[in-house]
Amino acid sequence: MMKTGVKSIALKRYFRSSSVSLKSTLANARNILEAELQNIREAGTWKAERIITSKQDVNISVQGQQKSLLNFCANNYLGLSSHPSVVAAGKAALDKYGAGLSSVRFICGTQDIHRNLEMKIAKFHERDDAILYASCFDANAGLFEVLLDKDDAVLSDELNHASVIDGIRLCKAKRYRYKHRDMKELEAMLQESRSSRLRLIATDGVFSMDGTVTPLKKICDLADKYDALIFVDESHASGFFGKTGRGTEEYFDMKGRIDIINSTLGKALGGSAGGYTTGPHELVDLLRQRSRPYLFSNSLPPPVVASSTAAFDLIMDNSEYPDRVHTNAKRFRSKMKDVGFTIIGDDHPICPVMLGDARLASVFADEMLNQGIYVIGFSYPVVPKGKARIRVQVSAAPHHPY
């Protein structure tokens, strides 16, 4: 047997050698990562995070800026992120229900306020039921693999949000990707997939980078013709798009036509966090049993639930907010075009100001700070190369100088 002293020396050499190897491996990984970061910097697409030192509102304070700035790029479409009723509801829930549940829903993470919010969401959308998630990203990640299997097909617009794309990748269904809003290609893919058990057409209601609206009427016609289901991500529509804020289907006067809706609580509907799926109760029940982001993520914190509930209360029977968003967006688009800017998109408060060059978009956004305007330049890979822009998002918040 090896003597104790010899064994000790051997072990020390082994661990020393292993440590050197690990350090060498980490150093190599650091070099690879730094090279990639340098490529981003040189391309002018580096995304710096500005530090906001105030609440989210029309006027915000930014670290390094001497004066407050007008915020033209938040998803705070209804201006409810700092609404007194929304904030007060969150504070009251913190006192009554605590900071969090320390649990997933099915163990000990469901409070009465969670079910109340789910029922309120279902009522707002006029659906059977709804299920809450930590984010709409999670809602999209948790839907497709539960609904679809290898005998099914999903047909997805090429410009769908990354969370929809990632969610579809998790399912076993045959995947088709049609060109953006190209109904001829979608129909050809529906014909090709005739043998599938279920077919699901998946689309954003409003495409967040371009402000374009999905051609829902044509999609519904094709779905009827080929017996397909329709899924729509309404993150950039719920609460403010359409006459009463019911989203894309209301915008087209087709309420109730979408089979499955996913959306977020983190934009117009209070701006805190959270997402949801709403639709047939059979689907919602199955998601509670099998949707992995739901089963393995903590429940939404009570203050978030209460704040979102208060936001729904403000808009449930009140069209003032959507009306104001529409009026402000129409005015902004018109005035910007009058002075020579190119604004793309449809009749929506997402108003992309097209600049083309990535570096120009970044510099332009920085210069706008000096003018008291907070905006962000968007470039590749968030948008296609050569289509850099400043994405302005118009709000219904009072006192915004549109």
Side-chain angles (χ1 to χ4, degrees), residues 109-383:
T110 299
Q111 295 170 318
D112 55 349
I113 55 174
H114 291 89
R115 280 303 293 149
N116 288 342
L117 177 54
E118 287 170 336
M119 289 186 287
K120 196 175 291 287
I121 290 169
K123 179 182 178 182
F124 180 79
H125 287 286
E126 299 179 13
R127 296 308 196 271
D128 293 348
D129 202 354
I131 178 174
L132 291 170
Y133 288 87
S135 67
C136 189
F137 203 113
D138 277 357
N140 287 336
L143 173 68
F144 300 99
E145 66 174 341
V146 173
L147 178 62
L148 305 173
D149 68 16
K150 60 182 178 60
D151 297 319
D152 302 322
V154 56
L155 306 96
S156 175
D157 189 293
E158 66 177 352
L159 293 189
N160 278 340
H161 190 267
S163 60
V164 176
I165 295 170
D166 286 356
I168 289 172
R169 286 172 177 166
L170 294 173
C171 77
K172 296 179 180 179
K174 186 169 183 180
R175 301 190 289 271
Y176 296 85
R177 187 177 69 171
Y178 61 91
K179 293 177 183 176
H180 183 45
R181 303 197 298 178
D182 188 329
M183 296 298 98
K184 288 185 178 180
E185 186 165 44
L186 174 58
E187 181 166 19
M189 292 176 175
L190 285 166
Q191 292 171 345
E192 184 180 340
S193 60
R194 280 182 185 272
S195 62
S196 301
R197 184 192 65 158
L198 288 177
R199 284 176 291 176
L200 179 69
I201 301 170
T203 180
D204 287 2
V206 176
F207 295 87
S208 62
M209 286 299 110
D210 291 345
T212 52
V213 183
T214 196
L216 186 61
K217 288 185 177 181
K218 294 179 180 179
I219 288 176
C220 288
D221 289 342
L222 290 175
D224 289 340
K225 183 177 180 179
Y226 293 98
D227 298 319
L229 297 171
I230 300 173
F231 160 86
V232 179
D233 183 317
E234 289 280 71
S235 293
H236 288 276
S238 294
F240 65 96
F241 196 51
K243 186 176 180 180
T244 67
R246 264 61 178 184
T248 308
E249 59 181 8
E250 184 181 55
Y251 175 77
F252 285 107
D253 195 23
M254 302 180 70
K255 286 179 66 176
R257 185 58 190 85
I258 298 170
D259 298 296
I260 305 165
I261 292 174
N262 277 12
S263 195
T264 181
L265 303 172
K267 293 182 171 62
L269 301 172
S272 52
Y276 59 85
T277 296
T278 186
H281 68 81
E282 296 89 350
L283 172 63
V284 172
D285 288 347
L286 188 59
L287 290 172
R288 294 193 196 281
Q289 300 302 311
R290 292 184 178 174
S291 181
R292 293 168 71 86
Y294 178 82
L295 290 169
F296 298 102
S297 295
N298 268 14
S299 304
L300 276 181
V304 171
V305 175
S307 295
S308 299
T309 301
F312 271 105
D313 289 339
L314 286 168
I315 66 170
M316 187 68 76
D317 300 309
N318 182 3
S319 64
E320 175 187 349
Y321 288 97
D323 287 344
R324 196 185 302 156
V325 173
H326 176 75
T327 299
N328 289 347
K330 185 176 180 180
R331 174 177 170 80
F332 180 85
R333 285 178 173 275
S334 174
K335 295 298 183 181
M336 288 292 286
K337 289 178 179 178
D338 286 348
V339 294
F341 285 99
T342 299
I343 313 295
I344 65 170
D346 297 325
D347 185 21
H348 192 273
I350 293 175
C351 304
V353 182
M354 301 303 293
L355 297 173
D357 181 72
R359 194 179 299 277
L360 173 62
S362 179
V363 172
F364 199 111
D366 289 340
E367 288 297 322
M368 289 301 293
L369 286 179
N370 298 327
Q371 303 300 319
I373 305 294
Y374 186 105
V375 289
I376 295 292
F378 286 81
S379 56
Y380 180 83
V382 180
V383 297

